[in-house]
Amino acid sequence: MIRYLHKIISVLLVLCCSFTLSQAQLTVIDNVTATQLVNKLVGQGVVTMNPTLVCRSTGSGTFSGTSNLGIDSGIILTTGSAKTNTATFTVGVDAIATQGMSYTGGNTPGDGDLTSIINGSATNNACVLEFDFIPSGDTVRFQYVFGSEEYPEYACSSFNDVFAFLISGPGIVSNIPAIPTKRNIALVPGTNVPIAINTVNPGAGINGNIATCNAIAPGSPFTAYYVDNLIPTANPNIVFDGMTTVLTAIQDVIPCQTYHLKLAIADAVDGALNSGVFLKAGSLMSTPVQTENITGGGGGSNKLHTVRGCNPAVIRYKRLGCDTLQPFTFHLQVSGTAVNGTDYAFIAPTLVVPGGSSTVDLHIQGLLPPLGSNKYVIIGVLHPDSVAAGASIIPILKRDTVYILDSLYVNILTPEQAVCPNTTISITAETDPSLSFSWMPVQYNTGSLTITPTLLTTRDFTITVTQPGAPATCPPRRKTYHALVEQYPIISAPSDTIVCGQDSAVIPVSVYPDSVNYLYNWSPGTGLRATNIGTNFLFRPPGTYPYTITVTTPQAHCVSTHNININVRPPFDLSYVRPQSGTVVPYGTEVDMSAQGAVLYSWFPPGQFYNPDMPVARTLPVLEPATYSVLGIDEYGCKDTATIFLDVKYPLDPIMPNAFTPNGDGKNDVFGLTNAKFQKLLRFEIYNRWGQQVFSTIDPLKGWDGTFEGKGCDQAVYNYIIVVELPNKTIKTYNGTVTLFR
């Protein structure tokens, strides 16, 4: 009683002080009939009958105008007054939120169904609109907003104002234990929890006991659907301090059957603070069309699809109207990333259901080519009544999306890997279950998507899928598994070898097949150049050393090993190398060279010896200073080299005559060099007594015949200059005179 009186006083004070400020932008018409309310609410695909209204005469009405409801027009059912009346100091839903809506004319009866929904709490001031209806489709739906003055102070308390949309009829299953023939469809989305003050509210911070709301259901109270109408940015054209977002009531029904709908709201416990429910005009609808999707299959997708060139996807359209004797035309809107007539067979804008039939099939056939990224087509069904009326905006009743896939689906799930010979592997493929498949090689075509071959060499395994019953334009799809077999390495290397210790010795290793980038490991690594190379180099003191080389293939890690025993011999030196290096020998002398201590000898340069593979080797005549060497190999293959440098003693200077007689008698006819066997002639010139050059040559075999420019020279004394180079690069010059006699 205290809560009720306090609210009456506050309402009167507000009314007295603020009616002049309440210039409502929401237009409410009260005192309307049940038929008027139902006609305002009903939309496409629904036929209504037998409307009744149990409510205060001012408790219901129609509304339109600007507000923050999210609904522009419709009907209102309240536990108070629908419209503000300044003459009677009555506040309606069209007052501003800072005013208070609390009916002062005394309580009216509640509603038994609503009392059952809130577990027996008393209800009063009920406003109930009921009617029968026949839906043309398989669902019925409408939109609404619930608001209340109980918000936010009395949320989660016993003042749990409630409303319900109760449907009954064929196939309806109750969700209210106390009312087995009716189902409440005014529910928190995704739950079976009825909309009420205690189920949808701001939650923490309210004056009531939040534990009361938390106990109703997991996740309650459901604050996501609550709108605070007292915040400064709220629209002042709705009186309720709080309300819900726009919600949708929806129920599956049987087309052309008769159902009963009861729309009811009531105060709980007392009538001090009123509540109301707004229902959107024309939103009570039943879609008169239904589609059944039949996928073309083969694409490995749960989405409705067709593969280019293969079986089409089918959309089966069913008209849900109650009269099927006349033909019916579906008007289609085609969109999406796929191009009509290019990516799929052309789809006309209309689809006709013949008279006497309820269904018609639309085939969506993917076309080849072009190929590219997968595309899709969206096919919408326009509202038939809006099309017939020529409306400027035509709603889409139903949209279906069909994906145009490029190829049949097959995939090999097993990752490719390298293995060693005689390894059994398991290869598993995946494909659309509607497809047929086969393996190559044919011996693995056993009807299983998993095969288990034993591999000896590298080979390919291919699975091919086809679509049964598809047209000839449907291409098969193949996937290949490349089974790489890495052969065990074949190591070619000595098992026992002798090396010489005076230098690093090569340990040759060859591995076959030689096209593989093997991994190497030597053990132990002592004395080796590296442990991760093939052919290696060893340097260790004399002794015998065991080594193991391990060769591994890079991917399958197929391993081979080879053991090597290496005998490192002491250094080997040639002895008694003769003659001593630096010995000077006469020009043209043949020299005997010798060495001892080896079993094999090689003298270099071999072309300068008569017998270059003997311990004692004789040189060809020595004509110039030169260095000779001998390579000796002992019984273990160890080598040593010695060098011998021989210098050359040349003969005396060449003897030049002091006269010659170029008379053609064959004796002393030409003046030139004598005994010049080893010199290189650089310059040979002759001058007369006036300094004129009468002869010049660098050919050691050519002399002066006593002529100049083809004429014989006078008998006289002539000067000559000769420049030669010795084999040791020494330059010598000879000057003198010669007498020409005639």
Side-chain angles (χ1 to χ4, degrees), residues 152-155 205-209:
E153 299 90 345
Y154 295 98
I206 59 179
N207 294 332
N209 182 5

Side-chain angles (χ1 to χ4, degrees), residues 605-672:
Q608 296 298 315
F609 290 88
Y610 292 107
N611 48 349
D613 56 353
M614 299 298 291
V616 178
R618 173 164 290 187
T619 70
L620 275 65
V622 179
L623 302 179
E624 59 184 0
T627 298
Y628 303 85
S629 64
V630 58
L631 171 65
I633 303 176
D634 70 2
E635 64 269 31
Y636 302 106
C638 298
K639 301 175 182 179
D640 188 30
T641 300
T643 60
I644 302 172
F645 173 72
L646 295 183
D647 202 355
V648 176
K649 181 180 180 181
Y650 295 100
L652 298 175
D653 294 337
I655 299 173
M656 300 298 296
N658 58 8
F660 76 109
T661 58
N663 53 13
D665 62 358
K667 297 179 181 180
N668 203 23
D669 286 332
V670 178
F671 173 71

